[in-house]
């Protein structure tokens, strides 16, 4: 009978451990699914942004020149806006 009690207790402990492990697995699977969804969303956003970031074959000097032209046109627009505010 002592052997039966020991085995019964061991069985209860193993059953409890198995239930805890199954609950942990379910929780981890749910977390994995959420993480995968976040990754998929991030990759989709990356794919959307990638064309904007790709080098379009312009040299560094051409990019600098274009940026300076853009800055100059923005300065001119700001001057026009400031003159309209004063009027």
């Amino acid at each position: 009978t002592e052997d039966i009690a020991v085995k019964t207790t061991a069985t209860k402990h193993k059953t409890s451990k198995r239930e805890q492990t199954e609950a942990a697995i379910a929780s981890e699977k749910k977390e994995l699914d959420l993480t995968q969804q976040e990754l998929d969303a991030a990759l989709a956003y990356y794919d959307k942004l990638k064309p904007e970031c790709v080098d379009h074959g312009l040299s560094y000097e051409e990019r600098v020149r274009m940026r300076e032209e853009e800055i100059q046109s923005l300065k001119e627009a700001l001057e026009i806006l400031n003159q309209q505010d004063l009027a």
Side-chain angles (χ1 to χ4, degrees):
T1 59
E2 189 176 312
D3 188 40
I4 294 173
V6 169
K7 289 182 179 181
T8 302
T9 304
T11 302
K12 287 181 182 177
H13 287 298
K14 288 180 181 179
T15 301
S16 173
K17 177 74 171 168
R18 187 185 77 217
E19 289 171 355
Q20 290 175 355
T21 303
E22 287 173 353
I25 288 172
S27 174
E28 293 298 322
K29 283 184 179 181
K30 187 180 287 187
E31 175 125 4
L32 177 62
D33 288 341
L34 291 173
T35 303
Q36 186 64 47
Q37 290 174 4
E38 289 178 9
L39 175 62
D40 292 342
L43 290 174
Y45 185 67
Y46 171 73
D47 287 339
K48 177 183 167 190
L49 289 179
K50 194 187 320 185
E52 296 175 18
C53 299
V54 174
D55 183 15
H56 297 289
L58 300 175
S59 69
Y60 175 75
E61 291 78 18
E62 290 172 325
R63 291 192 312 259
V64 168
R65 182 186 53 74
M66 289 175 60
R67 177 66 63 190
E68 287 174 354
E69 289 175 3
E70 183 179 358
I71 290 171
Q72 184 59 36
S73 67
L74 289 172
K75 286 180 182 179
E76 291 171 7
L78 181 61
E79 286 179 21
I80 292 170
L81 290 174
N82 284 337
Q83 290 174 359
Q84 289 177 353
D85 285 345
L86 294 176

